[in-house]
Amino acid sequence: MKPIRLSMTAFGPYKEKETIDFTKLQGNQIFVISGATGAGKTTIFDGICFALYGSVSGEERENAKTHRSNFAADDTHTAIELVFEMKGKTYRILRQLAHVKAGNKTATGEKTEFVEITDEGEIPVLDSHRVRDLNDRLEEIIGLTKEQFKQIVMLPQGEFRKLLTSDSRNKEQILRKIFKTEHFEEMTKRLKDKKTEAEKQLLALETERATFIRQIKETLPEADRPLFHVFAKEYQSPVQIIEGLQHEQVYYEAEEKKVQTVHAEKQQLFTEKQQMVHAAEQFNLTLEEYQKVAAKYKELLQREAEIESIQQQLKQAERAEHIIPYEQAFREQRKRTEQLTERVAFAKQQLQQAIEKRNVAKEAQANIEQQLPLYEKQKEQLREWQRILPFYEAVNQLEQQYKEQQHQLAKATTNKEQYDIQLQQAITRVKQAEEQYDVLMKQLIDETAYYEQLTQLKQVEQLLSAQREQRHKLKELTTQHDMASTQLQEQNTKLHQVEEQWLANQAYVLAEQLVVGEICPVCGNTVKEKIQQTQTVKITKEIVEQAKIAQQQAEQKARQIQTQVDILNSDMQKTAEALQQVTVAYDEATNVETIQKLEQTLNKNNQQKIQAQELQQQLTQFRKQVERLREQQQVCLQQVNQFQMTVHTTELQLQDKKQQLPVAFATKQQVDEAIHETTQQVALYEQQTKQVNEAYEVAMQQHTTQEANVQNMKQQHVEAQEQLSQLQQQLQEKVLAAGFQDGKEYTAARLETAQMNALQEQITQYEKERYATEEYLEKQQHLAQAEKKNVEVLKEELLTIKEQVDLYVKQLHQIESYRQSITRFIRYLEQAQEKSAQLEERASQIIQLYDLMAGKNAQKISFERYLQIEYLEQIIQAANERLVPLTNGQYRLLRSERVDSNGKQSGLSLDVYDAYTGQERDVKTLSGGEQFNASLCLALGMSDIIQSFRGNVQMDTMFVDEGFGTLDEEALSKAIDTLVDLQKTGRMIGIISHVAELKETVPATLEVRKTKEGYSHTTWNIK
């Protein structure tokens, strides 16, 4: 990736659009970015990184939305546009941030563009406008993630030495992001979760099995059998429990057969006794039935006279039944005659009422005819009043129009007065804002000198703070060194004593092995006599080795502390020299207070500049408001004049119309009321006339009808009386012919058909019951002298046998329950045994995999750390290819084998081998310039490894932010030579630095200057 043109709008200290054209380098591949502190040098790197990845370069500056310029106008959007070249193709990427404008509640304006620039024009790289898709496509084209880009292409301020000096854990995070080994960590976490889950399943199965075994103990009755012998043991094997349960199953099968045999015998006895009880109960029921029938027969004999009387009554009723139709005909005719008598009287009454209604209707008709002239006059008045109604409508419309026009005139007048007031207030606000703006502009100061003084004082404070910390640490190290020296002296003394005792023991052992008359292996002389020695304390070689190791550890600890003291003294000397080189005057006691005052002054000045910008914007708005109010005031004045003319015209028309109205009715309402009242009177007269005529016609019809009805009723009454006499004579003849002496005897014998049917049914039922009773008694004659059998004794014997049968059934059910439980227990334990074996096998596999991935081994190195060590070894090898010549062969980076404070092997820490001393030491002991050189070579080595790791990745650019100020003249020259060698390969190299020698050496410089208003501009300076 090689940048061609970078444009930053409202980004950081750049107020408006700032364009940096890298083609102006004129073939120079290395350039310096120079400028005052806070001018916006690092912001250039932030812009490139944000254009490519959507976030800025440093971790402390990660949120790009906070980089919106405080100097930007409200309608200017923050945007970054980068044109760059990658593998022979040219691309343009634009990212525009959304922001909340004045008066809005939500952010607007977000936009992205990504195109390829060809000879035919710009071609979109992807159709989607999603930021995530854009970032993925850019990462695919560049070939690096954001983390990889920040480590090998753009080295941000404050993060340059992170890979060199960080501990193993931090390096692990860096390498994980760069080489994407995080999935191994996720795999380890998942394996750990699976291991925990497998252990939980095993524990749950064991708990469930223990509960089940406890259930077995509670279910089966305890006895002197193998199963309960197993339960009595402290350890209960599932296999032994299964064997015991199988023995129990055989036992209960035998018990079940015994109980079944006894139960069958008792059941047979119970059946026979139950049959005897049933037979006795049946005999007693038959005897009771015979006795009830005999009693009922006696009752039937007693009712024989009653039945004969009923038969005689029924014969009389049958003779009277033939006369009933003649009696009914006579009674119906008599009733009809009485009804006709009543109807004749009622018809005469109705006729009289009809005559009275006819006379009343005739009189009402005469009264209506007298009111006819008045009716004609009222109809004529209504026609006249209807003719003049439209005149009143016209007057009402004009009056309504007149009122509305007056209302509009008043409203327009009020609006004009309000705009007059608002215009005056707006003019006043403009004058006040102009005065405030002038006051603020006079109070602003030139910030350049303040910023330079503040930067230098902060550097001084950092040096002073470092000096205080170094003194405190030196005091602690001195105490630790004294303690380490004391421990070393004690270990030397102890080692000397142990070695002397061990030599004495060796002399004792040798003396014990000497044989009188043989050659001594030490001196070569013949042994004349055996020397007797006493061994005081037995010292082995292992004890001597342990003492040596303890002495070496104490010596190494003392040497390490002394090295730290020497390094700290060197650092303190450098700090003191740096303080002596400070040009600004400072007081250590009040330096912090002076810094705070300077910051307060600058903050206050920035706030005043912001206030001035806000006032300037408000002033523009106020002036626009004044012009708008003047235009609105003029429009209102025209409306008032127009409404005044309209009101006058309408008033003249209204006066003319009112002169045409009649004097009798001043308003249309009075005319409407007169019309309404007269219309009601006319309608009433017409309604009354209609009702009177209709009533007269109805009365005449009713009179004629009633006269005809009276004559008809009289004729029907005469005919009914004649027919009644004939029916009475016929009835008397029929009664005598039936054998009755008179009508009273007939009436007493007469019965209704239902009554006769009831008597006949009563006789028939009696005869049936008597016949059935006599037949039953004749058949069951043998029971006449029989007695009941004693059933209770038989039932007691049956109950005793049933209790015995139930007891054996209960025993069978209990045995069956035991057998089913035993079968279920055996099946569960066998399944649990099989499941446990499967879980243990699976858990064993998972635990082995987890131990491998998590580093549960002798080296305590995880699989992910093992891969990262391999990558780090390659990076170190590539870095040393530049570091060795850069340091004249003095330094070479090594991967440290030191153990961290937590006891685990780090594997990713770095040491440096010093060829001058022949010793290895921590890279943190290097000076500032030495650390810069090592960090630079490490970054270049990582760049080489990542490019080889990613295959076709092509990095044509490198940016370095700060660090050259810590180098001496020789180191600076060699560092520049290293970068020059890089540019020979075609790479563009940009450096942020304040070092004057660097700006003099490098021919191209990008100057960043801050104006007194606070925002910045850039210019190229090519020598």
Side-chain angles (χ1 to χ4, degrees):
M1 191 282 297
K2 179 177 290 186
I4 298 175
R5 184 178 66 255
L6 173 66
S7 297
M8 300 175 289
T9 305
F11 191 72
Y14 301 104
K15 176 181 178 182
E16 297 175 349
K17 186 174 183 179
E18 186 72 20
T19 300
I20 302 175
D21 189 355
F22 292 96
T23 61
K24 294 182 178 181
L25 285 171
Q26 300 177 2
N28 295 294
Q29 295 297 318
I30 186 170
F31 63 94
V32 176
I33 302 176
S34 178
T37 301
K41 302 183 296 297
T42 304
T43 304
I44 297 173
F45 290 177
D46 289 341
I48 295 174
C49 191
F50 177 70
L52 296 175
Y53 293 99
S55 62
V56 296
S57 58
E59 290 185 358
E60 298 178 356
R61 308 148 62 90
E62 195 70 30
N63 187 4
K65 294 184 179 180
T66 60
H67 283 256
R68 175 171 172 79
S69 177
N70 294 326
F71 309 103
D74 189 54
D75 56 350
T76 302
H77 288 283
T78 300
I80 299 293
E81 184 181 48
L82 175 66
V83 178
F84 65 95
E85 181 183 349
M86 187 70 187
K87 297 180 181 179
K89 294 183 179 181
T90 304
Y91 299 94
R92 179 178 66 84
I93 173 67
L94 169 68
R95 293 182 189 262
Q96 181 174 293
L97 294 176
H99 73 281
V100 181
K101 294 184 179 181
N104 293 345
K105 294 183 179 180
T106 58
T108 58
E110 185 174 7
K111 183 175 68 172
T112 58
E113 293 179 4
F114 185 32
V115 298
E116 180 184 353
I117 302 175
T118 64
D119 296 337
E120 290 76 15
E122 294 186 344
I123 302 174
V125 177
L126 70 168
D127 298 329
S128 174
H129 293 281
R130 296 197 323 175
V131 175
R132 182 174 181 178
D133 295 338
L134 174 65
N135 293 341
D136 292 343
R137 182 62 177 139
L138 274 166
E139 184 175 320
E140 178 184 350
I141 291 174
I142 296 171
L144 296 175
T145 64
K146 180 182 70 174
E147 288 76 15
Q148 294 171 338
F149 189 84
K150 288 164 59 175
Q151 287 293 332
I152 67 174
V153 177
M154 184 170 291
L155 307 180
Q157 186 178 24
E159 300 181 31
F160 187 59
R161 297 178 175 87
K162 183 176 291 186
L163 183 62
L164 178 72
T165 60
S166 61
D167 58 17
S168 291
R169 182 174 295 276
N170 290 334
K171 280 191 182 69
E172 183 179 40
Q173 297 297 328
I174 295 172
L175 294 173
R176 177 178 294 152
K177 292 179 181 179
I178 293 174
F179 294 103
K180 294 185 176 296
T181 62
E182 62 272 4
H183 56 279
F184 293 106
E185 182 188 25
E186 293 297 327
M187 189 183 301
T188 304
K189 291 180 180 178
R190 288 198 297 271
L191 284 172
K192 183 178 181 181
D193 294 339
K194 288 185 177 181
K195 169 178 169 289
T196 304
E197 182 62 25
E199 292 172 346
K200 286 182 179 178
Q201 290 177 355
L202 282 172
L203 180 60
L205 181 61
E206 187 63 32
T207 303
E208 182 181 354
R209 184 160 55 189
T211 303
F212 207 79
I213 292 173
R214 187 165 58 251
Q215 184 180 353
I216 296 174
K217 296 178 182 178
E218 295 172 354
T219 302
L220 299 179
E222 187 173 355
D224 187 13
R225 289 193 292 273
L227 176 64
F228 300 97
H229 296 165
V230 175
F231 288 157
K233 297 179 181 179
E234 183 176 358
Y235 173 73
Q236 301 165 1
S237 169
V239 176
Q240 293 176 348
I241 294 175
I242 292 173
E243 292 175 353
L245 286 171
Q246 292 172 346
H247 185 276
E248 287 290 305
Q249 197 170 35
V250 172
Y251 167 77
Y252 281 112
E253 288 175 355
E255 284 295 311
E256 185 178 33
K257 292 179 180 179
K258 294 178 182 178
V259 176
Q260 283 176 346
T261 302
V262 179
H263 171 263
E265 296 173 355
K266 292 294 181 182
Q267 183 65 39
Q268 179 65 27
L269 181 61
F270 174 77
T271 303
E272 294 174 354
K273 185 63 68 175
Q274 192 176 37
Q275 292 174 354
M276 293 174 62
V277 171
H278 179 69
E281 289 177 340
Q282 190 65 34
F283 176 80
N284 289 343
L285 290 174
T286 304
L287 182 59
E288 289 177 359
E289 181 67 21
Y290 174 81
Q291 292 172 349
K292 289 180 181 178
V293 172
K296 185 176 181 182
Y297 182 70
K298 290 180 181 180
E299 293 176 357
L300 290 173
L301 290 176
Q302 293 174 357
R303 289 181 59 200
E304 187 174 2
E306 177 187 353
I307 295 300
E308 290 178 354
S309 174
I310 292 173
Q311 289 175 343
Q312 185 64 30
Q313 182 183 2
L314 184 59
K315 290 178 181 179
Q316 292 285 350
E318 288 175 351
R319 287 190 295 115
E321 185 178 9
H322 301 290
I323 305 173
I324 290 175
Y326 299 98
E327 181 187 6
Q328 289 177 346
F330 170 75
R331 291 182 183 278
E332 288 176 359
Q333 185 61 33
R334 187 174 59 183
K335 182 178 180 181
R336 181 170 177 270
T337 303
E338 291 173 354
Q339 290 176 350
L340 286 172
T341 302
E342 293 175 355
R343 289 171 66 183
V344 168
F346 180 74
K348 290 179 180 180
Q349 185 181 357
Q350 291 290 103
L351 178 60
Q352 185 61 34
Q353 290 177 356
I355 294 171
E356 292 175 358
K357 287 182 179 179
R358 182 194 63 184
N359 296 333
V360 171
K362 190 173 183 180
E363 184 180 353
Q365 196 174 35
N367 292 333
I368 286 296
E369 289 177 355
Q370 291 177 0
Q371 298 177 8
L372 182 59
L374 177 61
Y375 166 73
E376 295 295 338
K377 182 180 179 180
Q378 288 175 338
K379 289 187 69 176
E380 181 63 27
Q381 287 178 342
L382 284 175
R383 286 192 291 271
E384 178 62 23
W385 292 341
Q386 289 290 346
R387 186 184 63 80
I388 66 174
L389 273 177
F391 293 98
Y392 287 96
E393 293 289 344
V395 170
N396 288 339
Q397 291 178 357
L398 285 172
E399 287 179 344
Q400 184 66 27
Q401 184 177 355
Y402 180 71
K403 290 180 181 179
E404 185 176 354
Q405 290 172 352
Q406 283 185 325
H407 176 71
Q408 292 176 347
L409 176 60
K411 184 177 179 180
T413 303
T414 303
N415 289 340
K416 177 181 175 300
E417 293 173 353
Q418 291 177 352
Y419 279 120
D420 292 341
I421 296 172
Q422 292 177 3
L423 178 60
Q424 189 60 38
Q425 291 175 348
I427 293 172
T428 303
R429 285 197 295 270
V430 169
K431 291 181 180 180
Q432 292 175 352
E434 289 175 345
E435 293 173 357
Q436 293 177 1
Y437 181 78
D438 293 340
V439 171
L440 282 175
M441 292 304 294
K442 291 178 181 178
Q443 294 175 353
L444 292 179
I445 61 174
D446 185 4
E447 295 179 341
T448 305
Y450 284 88
Y451 271 118
E452 291 179 356
Q453 183 182 3
L454 178 62
T455 301
Q456 293 178 359
L457 287 177
K458 283 185 176 180
Q459 293 176 351
V460 168
E461 183 59 30
Q462 289 177 354
L463 291 172
L464 291 174
S465 177
Q467 191 178 59
R468 288 190 293 268
E469 184 177 354
Q470 289 166 350
R471 290 171 181 171
H472 176 70
K473 190 172 182 180
L474 179 62
K475 184 177 180 181
E476 291 180 350
L477 287 175
T478 303
T479 303
Q480 294 176 8
H481 184 267
D482 293 341
M483 294 175 62
S485 299
T486 303
Q487 292 177 357
L488 177 60
Q489 186 176 358
E490 292 175 355
Q491 292 297 333
N492 288 332
T493 303
K494 185 176 180 180
L495 177 61
H496 179 69
Q497 293 175 354
V498 170
E499 286 177 342
E500 288 182 350
Q501 291 176 355
W502 183 75
L503 291 173
N505 286 343
Q506 292 299 313
Y508 171 78
V509 172
L510 180 61
E512 287 293 322
Q513 295 176 352
L514 292 177
V515 179
V516 177
E518 294 184 357
I519 302 299
C520 176
V522 178
C523 62
N525 298 323
T526 302
V527 178
K528 297 180 178 179
E529 60 179 351
K530 194 172 183 179
I531 302 174
Q532 299 294 331
Q533 292 190 2
T534 303
Q535 184 179 10
T536 57
V537 180
K538 186 177 181 180
I539 300 297
T540 63
K541 192 171 183 180
E542 288 76 9
I543 295 176
V544 176
E545 292 298 327
Q546 291 176 0
K548 286 183 179 180
I549 292 172
Q551 187 270 343
Q552 291 173 358
Q553 290 177 347
E555 184 178 7
Q556 182 180 6
K557 182 176 181 182
R559 186 165 56 251
Q560 288 177 349
I561 295 175
Q562 183 60 46
T563 302
Q564 293 177 5
V565 170
D566 295 340
I567 294 171
L568 189 59
N569 285 327
S570 176
D571 292 342
M572 290 178 64
Q573 184 177 358
K574 293 178 181 178
T575 304
E577 292 174 354
L579 284 172
Q580 291 176 359
Q581 294 175 2
V582 171
T583 58
V584 66
Y586 69 92
D587 184 357
E588 182 176 356
T590 60
N591 191 53
V592 174
E593 184 178 353
T594 304
I595 291 173
Q596 292 176 350
K597 288 181 179 179
L598 285 172
E599 289 177 342
Q600 291 174 358
T601 302
L602 290 170
N603 289 336
K604 182 178 179 181
N605 193 62
N606 288 333
Q607 292 175 358
Q608 288 176 343
K609 285 195 294 184
I610 294 172
Q611 290 177 2
Q613 292 175 357
E614 292 175 351
L615 278 174
Q616 191 174 14
Q617 294 176 357
Q618 290 179 1
L619 187 59
T620 303
Q621 294 176 356
F622 289 159
R623 288 170 178 167
K624 291 180 179 179
Q625 187 178 13
V626 168
E627 294 299 324
R628 186 173 64 255
L629 288 172
R630 282 176 177 167
E631 293 175 358
Q632 292 173 347
Q633 181 191 40
Q634 192 64 31
V635 171
C636 286
L637 180 61
Q638 295 175 359
Q639 290 178 350
V640 169
N641 294 333
Q642 184 178 356
F643 285 141
Q644 286 175 347
M645 293 177 62
T646 304
V647 168
H648 181 67
T649 302
T650 304
E651 185 177 8
L652 293 176
Q653 292 176 354
L654 183 60
Q655 291 175 359
D656 182 59
K657 289 290 183 181
K658 284 185 176 180
Q659 291 176 0
Q660 299 177 14
L661 299 177
V663 179
F665 301 109
T667 63
K668 179 179 179 294
Q669 182 178 1
Q670 293 176 350
V671 177
D672 290 338
E673 290 174 355
I675 291 173
H676 178 70
E677 183 179 358
T678 304
T679 301
Q680 286 181 339
Q681 292 174 358
V682 169
L684 179 62
Y685 175 81
E686 291 175 348
Q687 183 180 6
Q688 289 175 350
T689 300
K690 183 179 179 181
Q691 290 175 350
V692 168
N693 291 333
E694 290 176 352
Y696 181 75
E697 292 177 0
V698 171
M700 289 299 293
Q701 291 176 358
Q702 289 179 350
H703 177 263
T704 303
T705 303
Q706 292 301 327
E707 279 183 341
N709 191 32
V710 168
Q711 294 299 326
N712 186 28
M713 288 295 104
K714 287 179 179 181
Q715 182 63 30
Q716 290 180 6
H717 184 262
V718 171
E719 292 175 354
Q721 283 180 338
E722 291 176 356
Q723 190 175 1
L724 180 62
S725 298
Q726 294 174 1
L727 291 173
Q728 185 176 9
Q729 181 64 29
Q730 186 182 13
L731 177 62
Q732 290 173 355
E733 293 175 354
K734 292 293 182 182
V735 169
L736 294 174
F740 294 107
Q741 296 179 0
D742 52 20
K744 291 182 179 180
E745 187 178 357
Y746 159 73
T747 303
R750 185 187 62 188
L751 292 175
E752 298 292 337
T753 303
Q755 292 175 333
M756 291 174 64
N757 293 337
L759 291 175
Q760 184 62 47
E761 178 66 24
Q762 190 174 358
I763 293 168
T764 303
Q765 182 66 28
Y766 172 78
E767 291 175 349
K768 288 181 179 180
E769 290 181 356
R770 184 169 177 174
Y771 173 77
T773 304
E774 290 174 348
E775 185 180 12
Y776 177 80
L777 291 175
E778 184 178 356
K779 289 181 180 180
Q780 300 292 341
Q781 189 175 5
H782 64 280
L783 296 175
Q785 303 300 326
E787 295 181 356
K788 286 187 176 182
K789 295 184 178 181
N790 193 347
V791 181
E792 296 301 326
V793 175
L794 295 174
K795 285 185 176 181
E796 289 178 0
E797 294 175 357
L798 180 66
L799 181 61
T800 302
I801 297 173
K802 186 177 185 304
E803 288 176 353
Q804 294 175 358
V805 171
D806 291 343
L807 178 61
Y808 287 116
V809 170
K810 185 177 180 181
Q811 290 179 4
L812 287 173
H813 289 168
Q814 185 66 54
I815 291 172
E816 180 64 22
S817 175
Y818 288 155
R819 288 184 59 195
Q820 291 177 357
S821 298
I822 290 170
T823 302
R824 179 168 55 88
F825 294 154
I826 292 174
R827 183 169 58 252
Y828 169 79
L829 289 174
E830 290 176 346
Q831 292 175 353
Q833 193 73 359
E834 181 180 357
K835 185 177 180 181
S836 177
Q838 293 174 354
L839 288 176
E840 288 176 355
E841 182 180 0
R842 182 172 180 271
S844 176
Q845 294 173 353
I846 293 173
I847 290 171
Q848 289 177 3
L849 285 174
Y850 171 72
D851 291 344
L852 175 64
M853 297 299 296
K856 302 292 184 178
N857 48 52
Q859 292 78 22
K860 298 187 181 299
I861 295 178
S862 66
F863 187 76
E864 181 187 13
R865 182 69 64 86
Y866 178 79
L867 293 177
Q868 291 176 348
I869 288 175
E870 177 61 26
Y871 287 128
L872 184 61
E873 291 282 4
Q874 296 179 29
I875 293 171
I876 292 173
Q877 182 178 357
N880 285 331
E881 292 178 2
R882 294 183 175 89
L883 181 62
V884 172
L886 185 62
T887 60
N888 294 325
Q890 181 179 2
Y891 294 124
R892 182 168 62 250
L893 293 176
L894 301 172
R895 186 175 64 82
S896 175
E897 298 291 344
R898 293 192 309 274
V899 178
D900 288 346
S901 58
N902 56 9
K904 296 182 180 180
Q905 184 175 350
S906 64
L908 297 178
S909 298
L910 291 179
D911 283 345
V912 62
Y913 173 75
D914 190 343
Y916 292 177
T917 63
Q919 294 182 351
E920 299 174 9
R921 52 190 173 98
D922 196 329
V923 292
K924 295 178 182 178
T925 61
L926 295 172
S927 65
E930 292 169 342
Q931 285 189 8
F932 174 80
N933 285 335
S935 299
L936 178 62
C937 293
L938 196 63
L940 296 175
M942 179 176 287
S943 174
D944 296 339
I945 297 304
I946 290 178
Q947 290 192 62
S948 64
F949 171 69
R950 295 299 296 268
N952 59 349
V953 175
Q954 179 181 344
M955 285 293 106
D956 298 327
T957 306
M958 184 174 186
F959 299 100
V960 182
D961 191 352
E962 299 297 346
F964 292 91
T966 59
L967 303 179
D968 56 21
E969 184 176 353
E970 182 182 0
L972 177 61
S973 175
K974 290 188 176 182
I976 294 174
D977 291 342
T978 300
L979 295 177
V980 170
D981 289 338
L982 282 177
Q983 75 160 347
K984 292 179 181 179
T985 63
R987 283 194 185 184
M988 176 189 292
I989 300 173
I991 304 170
I992 292 180
S993 180
H994 297 90
V995 178
E997 294 85 347
L998 190 63
K999 290 189 286 186
E1000 293 175 358
T1001 305
V1002 177
T1005 304
L1006 180 63
E1007 295 286 346
V1008 182
R1009 293 186 176 87
K1010 181 188 291 188
T1011 64
K1012 67 176 182 178
E1013 288 80 9
Y1015 51 86
S1016 301
H1017 291 293
T1018 62
T1019 55
W1020 283 107
N1021 185 9
I1022 309 298
K1023 299 179 183 178

